Amino acid sequence: MNSRQETLLKEIVESYIKTVKPVGSKSLCEKLNCSSATIRNEMAELEELGLLEKNHISSGRIPSEAGYRYYVENLMRPKELTGEDVLKLQTIFTNQDLVLSDAITKCVEIISEITNYTSVVLGKKSHANALQQVSIIPLKEDKIVALVCTDQGVVQNRQFTIPPTVKMEELVKTSEIINKMLIGTPIDEVSERLEFDVKPIISKRIEQYESVYHIFMEAFQNFATNVQENIHLSGKYKLIEKPEYNDVDEIRKIASKFEDEDLIKKIEEKKGSKKINIYIGEENEFDPNVTVIKTTYHINGEEGTIAIIGPKRMEYDRVVGLLSYINENLNDERE
């Protein structure tokens, strides 16, 4: 493309992002200092290149997915954050009372508030969480709660119905053995150590050791899965407030996707990706009518994906600017 076509495409993309209205030649004449006929010819060229599309209810043009792609790769410049935006995020970064996972969640909530898009954090905690204590709490004659705590302050509980052959004292005794042997063990290694280190011990001391062992094994496996895969959505319904979603069927469709945990997990960025990646329309696995902008974080043993979901006419420059700022402040292994 020549420089005039690039300028024209940039104007059309940025105008459509702001107004959600197809762009006609008249509105561009003054900005580009060209005649209406020249603008129409250039728009026709851009349409032939697949960068613009005709809107079915107007003579104006709108960007195609290829047009957005060309814009973000060649014409867009990340927007600097306002002082107000920086202050909101710095308040989170400098809050010593927040554990890291909460700080990341708060950041994502602020991003959603600033951009008015939906934001997602898909967190993975590797060896950051180590076992601090496991406790057995009796509820009724045949029910207990297994309470598991980590050194990072994560607490989860799981209710179990115990077989009539298992005595409460055996469960308590086993929890004491586990606490003595496994405190400080990374949570994703506890199940293995329970199998090879603890089970041989309780087989000699606990009458119904198989049943007791399976209760603790299930509790730890459930805990490890929940701790290592954390999903948090913020501004879930902000997307359906956009003008693109004025059809009831479309609203239902996108709302159901936000309830599908397996689909949300597909948003996760590739491990080790150190840049901000933009997936427009058909390029993303979540929905062909949205754009997903993602980056990864890795700090203090915790890693995960931060993603912003918006319409294809997303304010790319602002979102990329925000994620770039968060990248600089939330990572300890950036090159």
Side-chain angles (χ1 to χ4, degrees):
M1 286 197 296
N2 59 45
S3 59
R4 183 163 62 193
Q5 287 172 335
E6 285 194 334
T7 303
L8 180 61
L9 178 62
K10 186 173 186 288
E11 287 290 338
I12 291 172
V13 170
E14 292 179 353
S15 174
Y16 188 67
I17 285 170
K18 287 175 187 173
T19 66
V20 209
K21 293 179 180 176
V23 183
S25 57
K26 286 183 182 178
S27 63
L28 296 165
C29 290
E30 192 174 328
K31 284 185 180 179
L32 275 68
N33 196 26
C34 295
S35 68
S36 185
T38 300
I39 297 292
R40 282 197 298 273
N41 287 338
E42 297 287 29
M43 288 171 89
E45 286 274 347
L46 291 173
E47 194 176 345
E48 272 191 42
L49 291 170
L51 302 174
L52 295 180
E53 297 173 344
K54 253 187 185 167
N55 188 283
H56 63 284
I57 58 170
S58 164
S59 59
R61 306 301 202 283
I62 63 173
S64 65
E65 286 185 14
Y68 284 121
R69 172 55 58 195
Y70 191 92
Y71 170 76
V72 299
E73 288 184 357
N74 302 284
L75 309 175
M76 180 204 76
R77 297 291 175 267
K79 189 178 282 187
E80 285 191 21
L81 272 65
T82 65
E84 185 182 356
D85 292 345
V86 170
L87 185 61
K88 284 178 180 177
L89 291 168
Q90 279 298 332
T91 302
I92 302 300
F93 296 140
T94 57
N95 189 340
Q96 300 298 316
D97 294 330
L98 287 174
V99 297
L100 183 58
S101 56
D102 289 341
I104 294 166
T105 298
K106 288 285 183 189
C107 279
V108 166
E109 289 172 356
I110 288 171
I111 293 171
S112 182
E113 177 191 318
I114 290 172
T115 61
N116 225 22
Y117 301 135
T118 301
S119 56
V120 182
V121 60
L122 295 160
K124 283 185 178 295
K125 301 174 186 178
S126 52
H127 290 272
N129 276 274
L131 181 66
Q132 186 176 56
Q133 185 176 12
V134 58
S135 303
I136 295 297
I137 302 169
L139 294 180
K140 296 176 183 177
E141 285 185 5
D142 64 340
K143 286 188 171 50
I144 61 155
V145 166
L147 194 70
V148 182
C149 310
T150 76
D151 61 343
Q152 298 294 310
V154 180
V155 180
Q156 288 187 16
N157 60 77
R158 177 81 185 270
Q159 185 173 310
F160 292 93
T161 300
I162 58 173
T165 53
V166 173
K167 297 174 184 176
M168 191 66 65
E169 308 90 76
E170 292 188 329
L171 290 165
V172 173
K173 190 172 182 179
T174 302
S175 70
E176 290 170 354
I177 293 170
I178 290 170
N179 285 329
K180 188 175 179 180
M181 295 182 67
L182 302 187
I183 295 305
T185 302
I187 204 70
D188 53 358
E189 296 176 14
V190 168
S191 294
E192 185 178 354
R193 288 202 58 197
L194 193 67
E195 169 77 26
F196 295 107
D197 297 345
V198 176
K199 190 176 181 182
I201 301 293
I202 65 171
S203 68
K204 297 172 184 176
R205 301 185 190 179
I206 305 298
E207 189 177 339
Q208 298 293 328
Y209 77 93
E210 283 284 358
S211 298
V212 171
Y213 163 78
H214 284 298
I215 287 173
F216 283 99
M217 178 60 85
E218 191 174 338
F220 283 124
Q221 287 178 338
N222 180 71
F223 183 87
T225 301
N226 289 339
V227 166
Q228 289 191 316
E229 295 186 2
N230 178 43
I231 299 174
H232 179 81
L233 271 79
S234 189
K236 190 189 297 186
Y237 299 108
K238 287 184 183 291
L239 186 61
I240 61 177
E241 292 170 358
K242 302 297 178 189
E244 286 87 345
Y245 292 93
N246 56 8
D247 179 82
V248 175
D249 289 336
E250 282 298 315
I251 291 172
R252 282 190 188 132
K253 181 177 154 190
I254 196 71
S256 69
K257 289 189 173 187
F258 281 124
E259 300 300 326
D260 186 338
E261 195 169 286
D262 290 334
L263 190 58
I264 295 289
K265 284 179 181 177
K266 287 185 178 180
I267 292 172
E268 183 179 17
E269 189 52 288
K270 296 179 184 72
K271 189 175 180 179
S273 176
K274 295 188 175 182
K275 59 181 182 176
I276 293 163
N277 294 308
I278 300 172
Y279 302 90
I280 303 167
E282 297 287 350
E283 297 170 356
N284 75 77
E285 293 184 67
F286 183 72
D287 187 272
N289 294 316
V290 304
T291 284
V292 181
I293 303 184
K294 302 187 272 189
T295 191
T296 59
Y297 64 86
H298 193 296
I299 184 167
N300 296 342
E302 294 194 24
E303 59 186 67
T305 300
I306 294 174
I308 312 298
I309 305 172
K312 284 189 281 189
R313 57 169 193 91
M314 184 186 281
E315 285 185 272
Y316 293 93
D317 53 358
R318 192 165 192 214
V319 173
V320 171
L322 270 166
L323 289 182
S324 297
Y325 183 82
I326 285 174
N327 252 346
E328 291 167 10
N329 286 273
L330 259 191
N331 285 285
D332 57 8
E333 293 188 3
R334 291 285 161 192
E335 293 177 348

